[in-house]
């Protein structure tokens, strides 16, 4: 289906550059990364998509690869603000990308953007000769400093610790590891150089060690968000500095304050403003023009708007062709966020659910849409993942018992038709703005046919049965690999189910034995009580010809909450 050749950059402290007036915006969602995915914000959670893994946001084409042509063009259509664009990258290669991951500060809440960016990366890496995408994580300096002071810890040490924890969370979710992870603290010279250039070009001014960007000097300000300067409400987010020429002017450099880290600069000791870090770092690694910049919907204004202004002020050739934004993660009717205290961390979720169940849940909603987090939805995702993995396991076990030397090199026409439709729907959906829900839905028919061939009387008598199982199984595995869902530990799904049920396997087997004894004694009422007790905590019993086995399932009370989803 696709193939993996690529490299990637991961900006873990801050980084991206901004675009020019010709950019459109695609809305999606994003929250703090310090917390987590979808897959990625306050309780954003992350996802990925590629036959080899995924990571978030920068993509560029190595010069030696520019003349090669891939089979599938990534993101063939972007649904962007105001108009539809076709996006094919350079010479048929995936477009250079950059993504802001607002970390929030703590590994507590997680951002969703890591998710859809990693999905893009998976897709890119899945296609022949495609370089891997690059990710930029953006730390909230003020929050980091405040938290560090609260803990009595060095801000950079705290930040590095959170970055390490974030990387661990992403690994659990099968997100690709980027090639480079530039950090703000090691790119201060590039940041200062860009600020100097903005001053030289007349778009900024310095006051008492601070440097501000003058929005009045940049007529196109507001092009991305559609906001007008006169519509802004000064003081809504931060207190207005009376020294500013315009209340909307934003900081490029901030003079140092007691208790804050600082670096030397031409304007005195201080630290970068929030926005300039991204522009300087993305320009350093991607140049002043690239195709895709991603981030959360909440970053459209002011962060991305300010990135555009300062990047274009530093270099008039600055340009980003597509802005891709992911939607929020909601809990009930509220946005999940640290400030509301309704966030969940990746670590908390994967304590009782398989990490890939969380991944499946996250990519089950299109990245631009709001995703509603709930235990019920996680249960459903976990149950679906078990069904997929059990089907693959049963298929492999059946094939392992068969002498492969006798396999023919052809299959029935209906199998060929099924596979062709699966490949078409799967690749088309991913090429259409990463429409992952449709991609996931495309697995249904191949999985159903495999189960029919394995378990029904008619299927077991099917002509070319083993050949069909092998071909269908391989295509499904390839698709799961592209989505970052290829199973690593099937048994973990059962272990997590037992943990949620607060039972050991020995206790479940004892219940099965008690039930078998009750049935033999024709105590069917007692037998039903045992089955229902286990079903209530997510353990389903399956009676076979010779024995009774168990499997994880959606608990009964969850099924009652969401009957239409099951």
């Amino acid at each position: 289906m696709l193939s993996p050749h690529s490299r990637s950059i991961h900006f873990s402290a801050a980084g991206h550059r901004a675009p020019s007036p010709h950019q459109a915006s695609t809305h999606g969602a994003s929250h703090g990364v310090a917390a987590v995915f979808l897959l990625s914000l306050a309780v954003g959670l992350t996802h990925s998509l590629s036959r080899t893994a995924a990571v978030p946001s920068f993509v560029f084409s190595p010069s030696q690869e520019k003349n090669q042509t891939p089979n599938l063009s990534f993101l063939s259509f972007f649904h962007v603000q105001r108009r539809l664009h076709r996006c094919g990258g350079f010479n048929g290669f995936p477009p250079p990308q950059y993504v802001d991951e607002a970390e929030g500060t703590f590994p507590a809440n997680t951002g969703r953007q890591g998710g859809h960016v990693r999905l893009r990366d998976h897709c890119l890496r899945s296609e022949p000769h495609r370089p891997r995408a690059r990710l930029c994580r953006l730390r909230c300096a003020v929050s980091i400093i405040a938290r560090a002071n609260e803990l009595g810890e060095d801000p950079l040490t705290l930040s590095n610790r959170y970055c390490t924890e974030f990387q661990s969370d992403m690994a659990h979710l099968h997100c690709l590891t980027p090639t480079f992870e530039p950090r703000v603290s090691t790119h201060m010279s590039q940041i200062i150089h860009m600020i100097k250039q903005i001053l030289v070009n007349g778009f900024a001014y310095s006051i008492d060690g601070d440097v501000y960007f003058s929005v009045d000097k940049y007529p196109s300000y507001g092009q991305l968000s559609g906001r007008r300067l006169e519509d802004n409400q000064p003081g809504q987010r931060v207190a207005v500095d009376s020294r500013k020429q315009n209340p909307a002017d934003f900081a490029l450099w901030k003079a140092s304050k007691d208790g804050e880290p600082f670096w030397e600069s031409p304007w005195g000791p201080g630290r970068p403003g929030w926005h300039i870090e991204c522009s300087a770092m993305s320009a350093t690694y991607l140049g002043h023009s690239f195709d895709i910049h991603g981030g959360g919907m909440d970053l459209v204004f002011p962060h991305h708007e300010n990135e555009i202004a300062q990047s274009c002020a530093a270099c008039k050739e600055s340009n980003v062709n597509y802005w891709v934004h992911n939607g929020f993660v909601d809990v009930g009717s509220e946005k999940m966020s640290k400030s509301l205290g309704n966030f969940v961390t990746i670590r908390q979720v994967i304590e009782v659910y398989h990490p890939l169940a969380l991944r499946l849940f996250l990519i089950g909603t299109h990245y631009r849409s709001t995703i509603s987090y709930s235990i019920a939805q996680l249960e459903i995702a976990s149950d679906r993942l078990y069904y997929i993995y059990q089907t693959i396991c049963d298929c492999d076990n059946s094939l392992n018992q068969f002498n492969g030397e006798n396999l023919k090199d052809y299959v029935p026409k209906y199998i060929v038709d099924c596979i062709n439709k699966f490949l078409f729907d799967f690749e088309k959906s991913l090429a259409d703005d990463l429409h992952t829900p449709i991609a996931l839905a495309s697995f249904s028919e191949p999985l159903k046919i495999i189960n029919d061939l394995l378990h029904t009387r008619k299927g077991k008598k099917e002509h070319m049965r083993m050949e069909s199982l092998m071909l269908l199984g391989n295509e499904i595995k390839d698709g799961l690999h592209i989505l970052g869902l290829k199973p690593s530990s099937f048994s973990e799904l059962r272990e997590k189910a037992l943990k949620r049920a607060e039972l050991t396997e020995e206790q479940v087997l004892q219940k099965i034995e008690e039930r078998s004894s009750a049935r033999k004694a024709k105590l069917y009422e007692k037998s039903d009580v045992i089955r229902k007790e286990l079903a209530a905590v997510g353990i389903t019993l399956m009676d076979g010809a010779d024995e009774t086995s168990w499997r994880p399932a959606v608990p009964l009370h969850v099924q009652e909450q969401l009957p239409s989803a099951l």
Side-chain angles (χ1 to χ4, degrees), residues 41 46 65 84-85 116 130 255 271 287 335 389 412 474 520:
L41 306 309
T46 1
E65 297 175 342
L84 190 69
H85 288 268
H116 82 265
R130 297 229 167 189
R271 60 181 175 83
K335 183 181 84 168
Y389 288 1
N474 287 339
K520 289 177 182 177

Side-chain angles (χ1 to χ4, degrees), residues 48 66-67 92-93 95 117 120 129 135 194 266 286 416 486 518:
S48 314
K66 284 186 177 178
N67 295 323
F93 280 86
V117 174
R120 287 206 302 268
H129 318 300
L135 157 71
M194 177 169 278
L286 297 178
V416 174
K486 193 168 183 180

Side-chain angles (χ1 to χ4, degrees), residues 480-501:
L480 293 174
H481 190 48
I482 290 170
L483 295 176
L485 290 171
K486 193 168 183 180
S488 55
S489 54
F490 177 44
S491 61
E492 188 176 353
L493 280 163
R494 295 171 65 87
E495 293 167 4
K496 299 291 188 183
L498 289 170
K499 192 167 188 176
R500 295 194 299 275

Side-chain angles (χ1 to χ4, degrees), residues 1 4 37 86 115 125 166 280 360 415 425 447 486 498 527:
M1 276 162 67
F37 184 165
R86 185 167 182 87
R125 289 197 56 184
F166 170 85
L360 181 64
I415 297 294
D425 292 345
L447 289 168
K486 193 168 183 180
L498 289 170
S527 170

Side-chain angles (χ1 to χ4, degrees), residues 358-371:
L358 173 57
R359 184 184 182 93
L360 181 64
F361 160 67
L362 292 171
I363 65 176
T365 299
H366 189 264
Y367 75 86
R368 284 190 284 108
S369 301
T370 296
I371 185 169

Side-chain angles (χ1 to χ4, degrees), residues 17 45-46 75 139 221 354 369 406 409 415 436 468 513:
R17 41 157 296 66
L45 304 155
T46 1
L75 289 181
R139 277 200 303 268
Y221 189 77
H354 194 295
S369 301
N406 296 324
D409 58 358
I415 297 294
T436 50
S468 298
E513 182 60 33

